[in-house]
Structures are given as C-alpha cells and as structure tokens.
C-alpha cells in the first residue's frame, strides 16, 4: 500500500563545502527530486514546497568545534522543517584533516539523531560516474589508490591513506567497520544482514564498498530506513528511488530549466588539483586571455584584486577570461613554506573573492569557479543565499542560477567545480554548453 505524502521535505542534506553541495543537489535533481540549495543555514523557518533541501556549509577545514556547531544548527533547522531523513555530504575523495571534520560531525549528528553514543550509519564516498570507487574499504580515484592520486598533494587536506576504515576510525570514538564487496554484490538483503552483524559486534559506523551505480542502488535500498547517511554525492543518484517505491515521490522532469544566460564570461580558479591544473593549461592553449595571481607579490589582497579586475575589464568583451592562482604542487609547497599553509589559502581565497565581486560589478553573468574552498569564499563574498540547479556540465558539476546583491540581484549563471572534476576542456565547454542550451 502507498504511504500518504505529508507535505514536508523528504530529505535534508548538510554539505561540508559549496561545490559538494551543488554536486549533491545536481544528483538529486537528476534523480527527479525537486531540490533547494541554500547557502548556510537559512535565517527563518519557511514553508518549503520541495522534496530535498541541501544546506551548504564551508566546514571542511575549519575547527572541528565550529564544524560541529554549524552542522548541528543545520540539522536543527532541517528538523524544524519536518525533515526526518538526513544526509551528511562530504567529498568523494573523503577530504579531511587528521582531526576531521568528517568523523566529529558524523558523531555529533548521530548523537543528535539517535541519542548520545547510539545509532548506526554508513560511510560511502563512492561516486563511480566520477571514477571514485571503494573496494575492500580502500578508496580509488580512477585506477589509483586515493593515497597515490593527486590528492596526496592537496594544499589543505592531503590524503595519504586510502583505507577509509582507518581514516574514519582515527577521527571518531565510535567503532568503524566494513561492509565489503562480497556482501554488496549480493544485494540489499545481504547488506542489511552485514549491518546487523556489525552492530552485534558493537560497530556503529560502516564503510560500504561500491564500484558502480548498481552497487549504490543496492546500498540505497539497504539504508531505506536509516535516518542518517554519510556519503559523497554518488549515493544521491539512487536514494530517491526509495521514496518513489513508496509512492511519496513523483518523477519531476522539469527540474533543470534555467533562465537564458547573458553578460560576460569568466573563470576563477583557486584549485591546485591535477584536473584544474590541466584545465587551466588547456584554456590558455586555446588562446583565451588569462591572468595569474602571484601570492608572493607582497601586496594587500585588495590591491592584488584591483590589478586583476583592471586587466579583466580590457578583455571581457572578447570572450571568456581566466583568473587563477592554480599552481603545480612544488610551487604550492614553496608558497606555503613562505606564507604558511593556512595563511596562503586564506590570503588567496580573499583575493579571488574580491576579484569575483569586481567581475560581477563589471558585468560578468556567467561564472565558473574551480575549487571547493575557493567557491565557498566567492559565494559568501557575493552574498548568494540560494541556488537553482540546472543542467549538468560534467558529473558533479551543474550550471546553476543565482542572484547577488553585487549586481542588484540580476541573474548570474554559476558553475562550482570541485578540484578534480571535469574534462580537460571544462572551462571552454561550460560556456559553449550554456549558450547551446538556448540555441538548439
Ligand atoms: P580543490 O577543490 O581542488 O580542493 P580548493 O579551493 O578547495 O580546491 O582548495 C585549494 C586551496 O589552495 C584554496 O584554499 C586556495 O586558496 C589555495 N591555493 C590556491 N592557489 C594556491 C597557491 N598557488 N599556493 C598555495 N595555496 C593555493
């Protein structure tokens, strides 16, 4: 028998960065859920005619204490909207520091939802469409172990261990276990049996293997009644089916229509990931104008930004431009040695955020941002409160429409690209795709 739909959001998500939040919202939309993405915890209670809400935090690399505080505020707000199912979203490369914040936030949410020290949840960053898979508890990026991939050189969250059970266990008090591929490939009933067996052994958090979307479908069915899941965005492709089976969710087909794009086109890249480095080179090789930020130029962030904005104003009318701090690992290392790792990141994020404001004031209405932390800094600086998800450019990266006080709330088309996502021609392809949307 079908359950009766009470009008409240079916799923409430808390994402630890802004690119990850749009990645998650994109997958939910593609799976037919009407989804609202909010920047930070909304100020008021609202009547929400939506299936899912994604609250975007910038909590990945802040102190664990602050990350817990913000995540619990998000949880309380979602609960007050009637949400009963929660999704803590982190990066598909499990980006975290040795202190967290994935473990501490997971535990705080478990305490809040189940009671202190109680409950059970899963860890599943797999996103096979973006080549992130988990086998025997080990996370792979393409064919490489996480610890052999470019993530080992990340400026803020270098990932040097691919064993997710070990990484998660180091961040949590609760005991972490594994549901390995031998169970996952059998199907949902076997996965649930493993969940029960693990809980009987006192295990509260299970890393779950997944190598393809079919595995995620089985996992999604197995967790249908678990109030809290922690995962990358991949699981969100399969999760909505649980509500559809129960007759609680229609197939929404018009979820990704955006208004037509206008204005100048720009890319800002603060990501130093391998993919972003390659995308920057590709953009430059195609002959489009680019401006490189030199963090060692000994200038205030405002002066540095003004220089870049003045350069941009000369080139914007001729097509897309790129402003970037993106550098290869050896350069990043030498900059960090001179400025300090956190100081360098903060300084560069401030420059790029200031530049974004200047570009929008100069008429940019199509903006691609590369880098999770970078996107967080820019979206906050632009005063964006909510995002509408549009068509996907590449797995994990949709075009979105937003408005900003920096341009009297006119529509801006925005794409937030997580460091390692996107094809090599991503920057040029994004704009072509956007203009083709309205001319096909
Ligand atoms: P990703 O999505 O690739 O992880 P992020 O934006 O999250 O990218 O993180 C990259 C971090 O590196 C940002 O904090 C950014 O300010 C910093 N950064 C960017 N360029 C440099 C550089 N040349 N040297 C040192 N740090 C940099």
């Amino acid at each position: 028998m079908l359950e009766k739909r009470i009008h409240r959001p079916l799923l409430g998500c808390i994402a630890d960065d802004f690119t990850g939040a749009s990645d998650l919202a994109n997958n939910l939309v593609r799976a037919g859920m009407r989804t609202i993405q909010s920047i930070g915890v909304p100020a008021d209670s609202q009547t929400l005619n939506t299936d899912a809400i994604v609250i975007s935090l910038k909590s990945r690399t802040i102190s664990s204490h602050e990350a817990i505080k913000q995540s619990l505020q998000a949880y309380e707000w979602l609960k007050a909207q009637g949400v009963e199912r929660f999704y803590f979203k982190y990066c598909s490369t499990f980006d975290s520091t040795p202190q967290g914040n994935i473990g501490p936030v997971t535990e705080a949410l478990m305490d809040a939802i189940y009671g202190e020290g109680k409950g059970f949840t899963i860890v599943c960053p797999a996103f096979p469409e973006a080549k992130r898979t988990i086998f025997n508890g080990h996370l792979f990026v393409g064919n490489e172990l996480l610890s052999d991939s470019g993530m080992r050189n990340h400026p803020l969250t270098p990932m040097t261990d691919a064993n997710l059970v070990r990484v998660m266990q180091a961040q949590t008090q609760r005991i972490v276990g594994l549901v390995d591929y031998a169970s996952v490939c059998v199907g949902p009933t076997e996965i649930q049996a493993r969940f029960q067996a693990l809980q009987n052994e006192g295990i509260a958090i299970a890393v779950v293997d997944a190598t393809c979307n079919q595995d995620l479908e089985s996992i999604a069915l197995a967790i249908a009644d678990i109030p809290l899941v922690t995962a990358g965005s991949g699981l969100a492709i399969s999760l909505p089916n649980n509500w559809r089976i129960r007759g609680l969710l229609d197939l929404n087909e018009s979820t990704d229509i955006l208004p037509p794009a206008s204005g100048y086109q720009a890319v800002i890249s603060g990501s130093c990931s391998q993919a972003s480095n390659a995308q920057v080179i590709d953009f430059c090789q195609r002959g489009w104008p680019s401006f490189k930020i030199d963090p060692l130029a000994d200038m205030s962030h405002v002066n540095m930004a003004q220089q870049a904005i003045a350069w941009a104003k000369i080139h914007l009318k001729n097509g897309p431009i790129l402003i970037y701090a993106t550098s290869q690992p050896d350069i990043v290392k030498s900059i960090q040695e001179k400025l300090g790792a956190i100081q360098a990141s903060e300084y560069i994020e401030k420059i790029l955020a200031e530049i974004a404001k200047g570009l929008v004031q100069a008429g940019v209405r199509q903006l691609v941002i590369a880098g999770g932390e970078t996107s967080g800094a820019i979206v906050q600086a632009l005063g964006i409160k909510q995002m509408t998800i549009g068509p996907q450019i590449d797995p994990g990266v949709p075009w979105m429409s937003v408005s900003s006080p920096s341009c009297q709330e006119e529509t801006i088309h925005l794409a937030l690209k997580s460091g390692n996502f996107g094809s090599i021609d991503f920057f040029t392809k994004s704009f072509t795709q956007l203009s083709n949307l309205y001319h096909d």
Side-chain angles (χ1 to χ4, degrees), residues 17 19 58 60-61 91 95 151 154-157 269-274 276 292-293 295 324-328 331-336 339-342 344-350 352 370-376 417-420:
D17 86 336
T19 49
K58 190 176 185 297
R60 185 170 294 169
T61 56
C91 189
D95 301 16
M151 279 306 297
H154 191 280
L156 292 169
T157 52
S269 179
S271 158
C272 297
S273 306
Q274 272 175 352
S276 301
K292 182 163 186 169
I293 302 293
Y324 65 104
T326 302
S327 300
Q328 299 290 346
I331 310 276
V332 172
K333 202 163 162 240
S334 71
I335 291 170
Q336 289 185 330
L339 301 182
I342 293 171
S345 282
E346 283 176 358
Y347 172 59
I348 294 163
E349 285 175 31
K350 270 195 196 158
L352 297 180
E373 296 294 325
T374 306
S375 296
K417 187 193 80 74
S418 194
N420 272 316

Side-chain angles (χ1 to χ4, degrees), residues 2-252:
L2 297 183
E3 291 174 32
K4 191 167 176 319
R5 167 85 190 263
I6 300 163
H7 278 282
R8 59 182 179 224
L10 297 166
L11 181 66
C13 311
I14 303 166
D16 72 350
D17 86 336
F18 291 9
T19 49
S22 58
D23 170 14
L24 174 63
N26 175 46
N27 282 349
L28 291 170
V29 166
R30 283 167 59 220
M33 281 188 119
R34 292 166 310 147
T35 304
I36 289 176
Q37 182 180 347
S38 112
I39 305 303
V41 182
D44 311 314
S45 250
Q46 296 166 15
T47 311
L48 293 164
N49 185 19
T50 188
D51 301 316
I53 310 169
V54 179
I55 296 184
S56 331
L57 301 179
K58 190 176 185 297
S59 57
R60 185 170 294 169
T61 56
I62 59 178
S63 73
S64 297
H65 175 76
E66 188 56 29
I68 288 172
K69 192 171 130 205
Q70 292 184 17
S71 305
L72 288 178
Q73 276 168 355
Y75 162 73
E76 291 297 341
W77 187 89
L78 290 167
K79 202 171 101 176
Q81 314 315 308
V83 170
E84 291 175 352
R85 298 289 314 279
F86 301 89
Y87 193 126
F88 171 39
K89 153 76 177 70
Y90 38 71
C91 189
S92 60
T93 40
F94 213 66
D95 301 16
S96 47
T97 65
Q99 297 75 40
N101 293 324
I102 298 175
V105 169
T106 299
E107 281 204 297
L109 290 172
M110 289 178 83
D111 286 347
I113 293 168
Y114 302 114
E116 205 167 327
K118 296 193 180 134
F120 179 79
T121 193
I122 64 160
V123 163
C124 189
F127 186 9
E129 283 181 15
K131 300 191 164 49
R132 273 68 163 154
T133 54
I134 311 170
F135 186 69
N136 286 341
H138 288 69
L139 183 55
F140 288 82
V141 177
N143 293 330
E144 289 178 315
L145 280 170
L146 175 68
S147 45
D148 292 334
S149 77
M151 279 306 297
R152 71 188 186 284
N153 296 317
H154 191 280
L156 292 169
T157 52
M159 299 303 291
T160 53
D161 188 357
N163 183 328
L164 293 179
V165 175
R166 202 159 47 206
V167 174
M168 187 64 176
Q169 189 62 80
Q171 298 181 18
T172 46
Q173 306 292 322
R174 284 170 166 85
I175 303 176
V176 183
L178 174 68
V179 178
D180 67 12
Y181 193 69
S183 300
V184 173
C185 71
V186 178
T189 313
E190 178 62 21
I191 297 170
Q192 282 176 335
R194 282 295 298 152
F195 286 164
Q196 194 52 57
L198 291 176
Q199 287 176 81
N200 293 346
E201 292 169 30
I203 289 167
I205 300 174
V207 173
V208 188
D209 280 354
T211 64
C212 58
N213 276 353
Q214 204 182 340
D215 295 338
L216 290 174
E217 280 166 28
S218 298
I219 297 166
L221 289 169
I223 59 168
D225 295 318
I226 296 182
L228 171 70
V229 301
T230 86
S233 68
L235 193 60
I237 300 169
S238 307
L239 203 57
N241 196 37
N242 288 343
W243 291 290
R244 200 160 291 122
I245 291 168
R246 294 176 188 190
L248 295 171
L249 183 68
D250 301 328
L251 186 61
N252 298 295

Side-chain angles (χ1 to χ4, degrees), residues 291-314:
F291 183 97
K292 182 163 186 169
I293 302 293
D294 175 8
L296 299 178
D298 196 21
M299 251 187 235
S300 76
H301 75 272
V302 175
N303 287 348
M304 178 74 85
Q306 275 167 356
Q307 221 178 55
I309 294 162
W311 170 88
K313 283 179 177 165
I314 300 167

